[in-house]
Amino acid sequence: MKARVRIAAVAVVLVALPALAQDLVVWHAYRGGEKAAFEKVVATFNALPSTKAKVTTLAVPYDAFADKISAAVPRGKGPDLFIYAQDRMGGWIEAGNTVEPIDFYVDDALKGRFLPATVEALTYRGSLYGLPLDYKVITLLYNRKLVKTPPATTAELVKLGKSLTDKGAGRFGLAWAYNDFYYVASILNGFGGAVFGPGTKPTLDAPANVKGMELLVRWNKEGFMPAEPSVALITALFNEGKAAMVFTGPWFLGEVAREIDYGLAPLPAIVEAGGKPMRPWMTVEGVFIAAPSKQKEAAFEFVKYVTDGDAARVMALEGRQSPAFRAIYDDPAVAGDPVLAAFRKQVEVAIPMPNVPEMTMVWSPATTALNKINAGSTSPKEALSVAQKAVARDVASLRKR
Amino acid sequence: MSPSPPPSHRRRFVAGLAAALALGGGSAAFLVQSAEAERREELASRQAIAVLGALVQAVEEAGGTGDPSRDALRAWQAGQPPGVEARLVVLEGIRLEGSTAPGDAGERAAPRRLAREEKALFDQAQRLRGAVEGNREGGAPKPEVEIERLADGGRVAAAPLRVGGEVVGSVRLTLPTPPAAVAGPRLPGIGWILAAFAAFLGAAALLGERRWMLALGAAVSLVAGLWLQARAALSGLAPGAGADVTLALHAEATRALLASGGIALALLAFVGLGGLARAWRTLVENRQAYAYIAPAVLGTLVLVFFPFFYGVALGFTDSNIYNTSSPLSELWVGLRNYAAILGDFSMVRRGADGALVWNYLNFYWTFLFTVVWTITNVTFGVSFGLLLALVLDTKGLAFRPVYRVLLILPWAMPNYITALIWKGMFHRQFGVVNQVLQIFGLQPLSWFDQPFTSFLTALATNGWLSFPFMMVVSLGALQSIPADLYEAARVDGASRWQQLRAITLPSLRPALVPAVILSVVWTFNMFNIIYLVTAGAPNGATEILITQAYKFAFERYRYGYAAAYSVVIFGILLVYGWFQNRVTKATEGI
C-alpha cells in the first residue's frame, strides 16, 4: 500500500515537473532519420547546463502543418517555435501575430554564420524573421552506368540526352518534372528571369522568362524527355535504368533503388544564355519564434543553438540535411560526403524562392502556361502574357478594399 | 392526469411584456453606452494622432536623428502638459535616439542601445517601416500610425520617422489618461420603460382576458416605451468636438436599436401568444426523448451547423490570405462575392484569329460542365449496371457468384487508387490505352490536352467506379420480382422485349429511383476523380464546381469567394433535392 502511494506520488511529481518548468514547445514536420537527428539535437540542448527552459518536440504531419500554424499560433494556442520552409512566411507576416521578427537579437556576426542566400530567404521587407536551418535545391542526378561524365552545358546535355534516348524501348536521356513550374524556374532564372520584381510586381512575361520557355520548347522538340512526367514515372524510369539523368532534389534520393549507382553534379550552364548557369530555386527551412510565445528570449537561445555548428553536424550526417551553417562544409566528414558536397556546390547559384504571399497566386496560372507551352498549343510569349494577366488580376483582387 | 386550468392570457402578456421591455431596454442602454464609449475612444485617438503629427514634423524638420532631434524633442516637450512622454527609436543600430520619459535618465539616458525588454519598440518601428514600404508598392493597405490604449485609459501612438523619404525609425508618444468625462445617468430613459409597463398593467386590468386586445395593448406599450427610451438615451450622445464621429455613431446606434426592438417584439409575441408555454410543455412531457437526443443535437450543432453557418457567413466577407486574423465583421462585403460569381457571363469570346476562346474559370462554364458530367456518368452507370444485372440474373448461369464478386471489385477498391491507376493508363507514352490504339495502327493521343478527351478519361474512371453500385441495386430488385408474373406474360404470348418493358422496368423503379437520386448527388460532388485524374486539365476546362471551389480556396487563397462558391453549390443541390422530392412523391403516388 505504502509503495503504491509512493509510486503515485513520484508519478504526480514527474507529470507536474515539466509543466512547472514551462517547457518550450517546438513543432516540426520531420520523419524518419531527420526526426531522430533533430530529437538528438534537442536532447543535447536540454542537457546543457546553460539551458534555462527545456525544449519538447512535437512532430506535426507535413500536409497539415502550415494550416495548423495559421490557425493556432495567432490565437495563442500554438507552439513557442516551429520549423518550416520560407514559402509561407510572407503570408504569416501579412496576417500578423504569427512570426516574431528577430532582428533585435541578431547581429552581423550571427548572420555571417550562414550561407548568405539562406538568410536572404528568411528576410521579408527588410526584416529577418527566423534563422536558417537547412536548404533544399535541385541538382543533376545521373546514372553512372549510362553517363560517364555529367554534361557541363545545355548543348552537351541535349547531345548526350539524345544519344541515350530510345523511345521505342522507353529509354530517355533526361527525365524531370518539366511540367512543374518549380523545376522549370531553374531555366528561367538562368536567363536572368524572375517571377516578381521589383518588390511584388509580377513579371511572368519578362523577356528573359520567354527566352527560358523557348529553350524548353526546343528541348521538347529534341525528344529526349518522356511525356507527361509525373513523380511516379520519373522514379520508375530512373530506377529501371531507363532514365539516364534527372533534375531533382534531395527528397528523391530516398526513392532511388539500391542497385542504381548514381552521381550528383551541378545543373548545366545554359549555352543559349551565354554560358550562364541554370539557377534553381532554393527552399530554406527556418526556425521561427511564434509571436505570442511567452518565452521569446529562451526560445531564441534554442534557435541559436539548433542553427549552430554542433547541431548542423548532427543534422547533416545523421539527418541527411544540407545545413545553412556555412563552416560545417569545412568539416572533413561533411566535405567528404558526395551528396552534401554536391548540393553545397549547387546552392552557390541558387536563388531563394520568393517568400511573398503573392507567390501563392503564381503557381496555378504559371502551371497552366507551362502546360500550354509543353503541349505546343501556344507560343511561350502568349502563354506567359496570359499568365501574367491572371496573376496580376488575382493579386489585385486580394488587395482591393 | 388532472385537467389543467385554462391559460391566463393576461398573465402571459404581462410576463411577455416584462421580458421584452427588459431585453429591449437593457440592450438599448448597453448600445448607447458603448457608442458613447466608442466616441470618447475615437476622439482621444484623434487627439493623440494630432499631437503625434506635430511632434513628428518637429523632429523631422530637425533632421530626424542626432542632437538636433533631441533638442527638437526637448523644445516640444516644454509645451506639453505633464505626463506626456515621447521616444525616438532608430532602426540602425537598434538605438533609442531620444527620450523625454522620466525613466530614461542617468544610466538609461538616450542615446543608447535599446534594452532587451524594449524589443517591442524596435519591432514596432520595423512594422511601421514595412507598412510604409508595402503601401508605397501597392500591397495590402496597412495603417501607418499605430495606436494602443493603455489599461489606465492613456494612449500610446507611434508613427514612422522619415529622413530623406526613407523610414529610419519611429516616434512614439505616450499620452496620460484624459480627464474623466462627465458621467451621464447610468440608465437613461429608464422611466419611460417603467411607465409603459405600468400603463399596460392598468390597461390589462380593464381588458380582462380578451386575447387580441391584450396583444395589441402590449405591442403598443412595448413600441412606445422603447421608442421613448431610445430617444432619451440617444439625445445623451452629446454633440461636441468631432461632430462627424457622433453622427456616424448615431446612425449606427439607431440601426442597432431598431434590430433590438424587433427582437423584443418577437419575444413578446412568443411569450404572450403562448409559444413559450407550449415549448415548455412539450419539453417537460417528452423530457426522456429530449434527453436521449440531446448529445446528438449538441454534436450536430457543433460539427454540422456551426461550420455550415460559419461558411455561409464567410461567403459575405472578403476573407483571404492577407487578413485571416481580422474578425469577419471587419471584412464584410455583402453580396459582392455572389455578384462576382453569378454576374460574370463572359464564358466565351472571339479570339484575335476569330476562333472561340472559352473562359474556363467562368462559373457558368463549370456549372455546364458539371451538369454534363453528372448526366453522362449517371446514364452510363445506370445503363451499364442494369445490363450487367440482367445478364447475371439469367437462370442457370454457371459461376454466377464468381462473376458477381469480380464485378463488385471496382467498387471495393479505394477510389484514390483506382483513379491514379486510370490516370496512368491514359499516359501519352506509357499508358496502356495509347498502346492498344497503336496496336490497331492509330495515332497515340495526348488525352489531357483537349477538354473532350480529358473528360473521357474522367468519365471512364468514374464509370468504372459507379457501375457496381447500380448493378447491385438492380440485381437485388430483379431477384425480388415474382417469377409468376413472367410466367403469366409468357402464357399470354408476350415477347422478351415486352416482358422487359412491361414487367421488369416498372418493378425496378422503386429501387432505381432512390439509387439514381443518390448517384446524382455523389457524382455532382465527385471531388476525388476530377482532382486526381484530370486535375482540371487542360487549363481548368474539366473542373467541376466542387474542385473549382477548392482551387479558389487553397490555390488562390480567396476564402470568402470560395465560401460563396460553396453556398452556390449548396443552393443548386437544394433546388435539385426539392425537385427530386416532388418527383419521388409523384412516383410513390402511382
Side-chain angles (χ1 to χ4, degrees):
Chain A
M1 189 64 200
K2 244 183 190 171
R4 206 177 288 171
V5 169
R6 215 172 292 153
I7 290 169
V10 168
V12 165
V13 169
L14 281 181
V15 169
L17 260 185
L20 288 176
Q22 277 294 306
D23 280 15
L24 290 170
V25 177
V26 52
W27 283 8
H28 62 86
Y30 291 140
R31 292 185 309 168
E34 228 172 352
K35 182 178 178 207
F38 182 68
E39 277 167 0
K40 186 172 163 188
V41 168
V42 169
T44 319
F45 175 79
N46 285 342
L48 287 180
S50 59
T51 298
K52 286 187 209 79
K54 289 210 182 336
V55 172
T56 53
T57 62
L58 180 68
V60 177
Y62 180 79
D63 302 341
F65 198 95
D67 291 335
K68 273 195 201 299
I69 291 289
S70 304
V73 171
R75 290 163 186 82
K77 306 280 184 205
D80 297 287
L81 299 127
F82 58 94
I83 297 174
Y84 200 74
Q86 92 272 25
D87 53 343
R88 288 294 292 270
M89 197 181 92
W92 286 329
I93 294 164
E94 291 291 339
N97 201 26
T98 310
V99 194
E100 179 79 5
I102 57 166
D103 278 296
F104 190 81
Y105 300 130
V106 176
D107 52 20
D108 286 343
L110 186 54
K111 274 191 198 173
R113 297 203 314 207
F114 306 104
L115 298 165
T118 60
V119 177
E120 191 195 321
L122 301 182
T123 305
Y124 184 79
R125 291 205 185 284
S127 304
L128 185 64
Y129 283 87
L131 290 187
L133 190 61
D134 68 303
Y135 60 84
K136 290 189 175 72
V137 72
I138 62 167
T139 186
L140 171 63
L141 174 77
Y142 60 95
N143 187 332
R144 280 183 194 280
K145 222 192 258 170
L146 303 168
V147 178
K148 293 293 167 250
T149 41
T153 65
T154 49
E156 286 174 41
L157 174 82
V158 174
K159 198 164 153 249
L160 182 66
K162 278 167 80 175
S163 73
L164 291 167
T165 300
D166 176 1
K167 268 194 196 162
R171 292 177 174 282
F172 292 92
L174 174 68
W176 65 304
Y178 61 93
N179 53 0
D180 184 337
F181 191 70
Y182 173 80
Y183 289 82
V184 172
S186 60
I187 302 181
L188 311 192
N189 293 338
F191 276 91
V195 174
F196 295 110
T200 53
K201 190 173 156 287
T203 55
L204 268 178
D205 58 351
N209 288 337
V210 175
K211 276 191 202 133
M213 286 296 191
E214 280 164 358
L215 179 61
L216 182 65
V217 170
R218 279 200 291 282
W219 285 7
N220 260 312
K221 286 195 185 125
E222 301 284 2
F224 61 103
M225 309 185 294
E228 294 167 21
S230 63
V231 176
L233 178 71
I234 296 168
T235 315
L237 286 176
F238 191 73
N239 282 343
E240 289 164 16
K242 288 183 171 173
M245 293 175 279
V246 175
F247 292 163
T248 189
W251 50 87
F252 190 80
L253 299 179
E255 309 285 326
V256 176
R258 209 167 287 248
E259 63 272 16
I260 298 284
D261 179 19
Y262 66 84
L264 293 157
L267 295 173
I270 306 173
V271 178
E272 292 83 350
K276 283 189 272 183
M278 280 174 74
R279 304 189 71 179
W281 266 340
M282 98 170 124
T283 52
V284 177
E285 265 188 329
V287 193
F288 300 105
I289 300 176
S293 167
K294 299 237 160 29
Q295 313 177 69
K296 289 172 192 163
E297 300 255 336
F300 188 70
E301 289 308 307
F302 177 71
V303 174
K304 258 198 320 204
Y305 178 81
V306 81
T307 54
D308 204 351
D310 295 342
R313 195 163 190 281
V314 176
M315 293 308 288
L317 296 176
E318 295 174 32
R320 305 306 300 158
Q321 277 189 350
S322 294
F325 185 79
R326 195 208 305 240
I328 201 70
Y329 297 95
D330 300 334
D331 185 303
V334 176
D337 187 308
V339 173
L340 295 178
F343 287 121
R344 172 71 184 85
K345 217 169 177 183
Q346 182 69 65
V347 82
E348 281 296 317
V349 295
I351 293 180
M353 194 165 82
N355 59 18
V356 294
E358 285 82 357
M359 189 62 204
T360 51
M361 317 292 142
V362 171
W363 295 113
S364 175
T367 309
T368 303
L370 193 52
N371 286 338
K372 286 191 215 161
I373 292 168
N374 279 327
S377 60
T378 317
S379 75
K381 197 175 159 87
E382 196 189 327
L384 284 176
S385 118
V386 170
Q388 164 75 14
K389 279 187 205 122
V391 175
R393 195 186 52 226
D394 280 356
V395 168
S397 70
L398 280 191
R399 281 175 178 170
K400 72 183 164 203
R401 274 174 76 73
Chain B
M1 280 214 349
S2 60
S4 51
S8 158
H9 292 304
R10 192 156 47 163
R11 255 206 337 253
R12 277 184 188 163
F13 276 108
V14 169
L17 184 67
L21 279 173
L23 177 79
S27 59
F30 171 77
L31 282 169
V32 169
Q33 265 177 13
S34 58
E36 175 65 22
E38 200 178 313
R39 189 177 71 101
R40 278 206 300 272
E41 288 288 303
E42 177 74 31
L43 290 178
S45 297
R46 283 185 176 202
Q47 190 208 348
I49 291 174
V51 176
L52 180 66
L55 172 60
V56 169
Q57 201 186 353
V59 172
E60 283 178 355
E61 274 170 9
T65 55
D67 280 331
S69 72
R70 278 186 287 279
D71 292 340
L73 202 61
R74 261 192 298 278
W76 173 86
Q77 181 72 34
Q80 294 298 320
V84 177
E85 298 168 10
R87 285 189 174 89
L88 292 184
V89 177
V90 169
L91 289 167
E92 178 78 41
I94 314 182
R95 286 202 318 271
L96 181 69
E97 188 72 2
S99 169
T100 60
D104 293 329
E107 281 268 289
R108 294 169 55 89
R112 61 175 168 84
R113 195 177 200 280
L114 285 171
R116 280 245 152 172
E117 70 276 8
E118 291 169 322
K119 179 172 187 287
L121 268 61
F122 177 78
D123 289 347
Q124 184 177 48
Q126 270 198 324
R127 204 157 53 230
L128 288 167
R129 183 183 64 182
V132 170
E133 286 177 5
N135 291 346
R136 194 188 297 153
E137 262 177 34
K142 290 252 172 81
E144 293 187 8
V145 176
E146 291 190 0
I147 294 225
E148 188 188 333
R149 188 182 192 279
L150 296 177
D152 63 359
R155 291 285 184 291
V156 173
L161 173 65
R162 291 181 177 86
V163 172
E166 289 303 313
V167 179
V168 297
S170 73
V171 182
R172 202 176 139 97
L173 173 75
T174 311
L175 288 177
T177 321
V182 190
R186 283 199 57 76
L187 290 171
I190 184 83
W192 291 114
I193 299 275
L194 295 175
F197 190 59
F200 178 69
L201 279 184
L206 295 177
L207 288 169
E209 285 293 325
R210 279 137 75 189
R211 191 177 184 197
W212 293 109
M213 291 303 283
L214 280 167
L216 186 68
V220 168
S221 312
L222 178 69
V223 171
L226 287 183
W227 187 68
L228 289 166
Q229 183 228 10
R231 220 179 53 162
L234 278 177
S235 69
L237 266 181
D244 53 334
V245 180
T246 315
L247 213 62
L249 281 174
H250 216 285
E252 204 174 298
T254 311
R255 271 201 300 280
L257 285 175
L258 277 176
S260 81
I263 295 172
L265 201 60
L267 180 69
L268 171 66
F270 183 60
V271 178
L273 296 177
L276 178 68
R278 254 196 312 278
W280 179 249
R281 213 163 39 236
T282 60
L283 205 63
V284 170
E285 258 171 31
N286 306 314
R287 55 180 171 271
Q288 240 175 358
Y290 282 113
Y292 284 140
I293 63 163
V297 168
L298 203 68
T300 324
L301 276 179
V302 175
L303 298 174
V304 177
F305 285 96
F306 174 71
F308 177 79
F309 287 110
Y310 186 81
V312 172
L314 201 61
F316 292 105
T317 69
D318 182 36
S319 173
N320 62 49
I321 192 169
Y322 286 113
N323 55 26
T324 40
S325 45
S326 323
L328 292 188
S329 56
E330 273 179 27
L331 306 173
W332 209 256
V333 294
L335 291 169
R336 198 176 77 188
N337 288 330
Y338 292 96
I341 295 168
L342 299 173
D344 175 14
F345 296 101
S346 61
M347 188 158 88
V348 65
R349 64 182 171 79
R350 286 249 172 238
D353 51 352
L356 289 181
V357 179
W358 293 89
N359 174 16
Y360 297 133
L361 275 182
N362 181 277
F363 169 78
Y364 293 102
W365 165 269
T366 313
F367 180 54
L368 193 73
F369 180 81
T370 311
V371 170
V372 171
W373 157 257
T374 308
I375 292 174
T376 47
N377 267 297
V378 174
T379 314
F380 185 79
V382 169
S383 37
F384 205 59
L386 186 60
L387 190 75
L388 283 171
L390 287 171
V391 171
L392 280 183
D393 197 40
T394 314
K395 288 253 151 43
L397 185 71
F399 306 118
R400 184 157 55 178
V402 178
Y403 299 141
R404 202 152 57 178
V405 168
L406 284 180
L407 287 172
I408 291 174
L409 267 187
W411 194 23
M413 283 230 299
N415 58 13
Y416 303 92
I417 296 172
T418 314
L420 290 174
I421 291 175
W422 276 89
K423 185 180 174 64
M425 292 205 290
F426 284 107
H427 189 274
R428 192 168 84 203
Q429 276 165 348
F430 299 94
V432 68
V433 179
N434 272 353
Q435 283 172 4
V436 169
L437 285 183
Q438 277 166 307
I439 289 173
F440 291 106
L442 295 168
Q443 281 297 309
L445 265 177
S446 288
W447 287 92
F448 299 107
D449 278 359
Q450 293 298 326
F452 180 67
T453 51
S454 188
F455 161 70
L456 286 184
T457 65
L459 180 65
T461 312
N462 200 46
W464 170 259
L465 283 169
S466 59
F467 80 82
F469 172 71
M470 286 298 169
M471 186 191 80
V472 169
V473 170
S474 317
L475 196 57
L478 279 178
Q479 285 166 350
S480 66
I481 301 174
D484 18 342
L485 285 179
Y486 291 107
E487 218 168 292
R490 262 200 309 279
V491 171
D492 288 346
S495 69
R496 288 297 293 267
W497 176 244
Q498 281 169 327
Q499 286 178 29
L500 181 77
R501 289 202 40 198
I503 302 173
T504 314
L505 290 184
S507 316
L508 282 179
R509 190 144 78 172
L512 272 185
V513 167
V516 167
I517 293 170
L518 272 179
S519 177
V520 164
V521 177
W522 288 340
T523 315
F524 197 87
N525 280 342
M526 184 46 87
F527 182 89
N528 296 345
I529 304 305
I530 295 289
Y531 188 77
L532 292 173
V533 177
T534 75
N539 315 331
T542 56
E543 299 284 4
I544 56 174
L545 290 171
I546 196 85
T547 56
Q548 194 72 281
Y550 174 87
K551 293 206 166 166
F552 274 116
F554 300 108
E555 284 185 0
R556 299 188 181 84
Y557 295 89
R558 297 170 67 182
Y559 304 127
Y561 189 87
Y565 214 92
S566 312
V567 172
V568 171
I569 300 175
F570 170 75
I572 293 168
L573 286 176
L574 195 69
V575 170
Y576 166 77
W578 171 80
F579 174 74
Q580 204 46 266
N581 238 344
R582 291 189 42 161
V583 171
T584 30
K585 272 205 189 112
T587 48
E588 276 163 8
I590 289 170

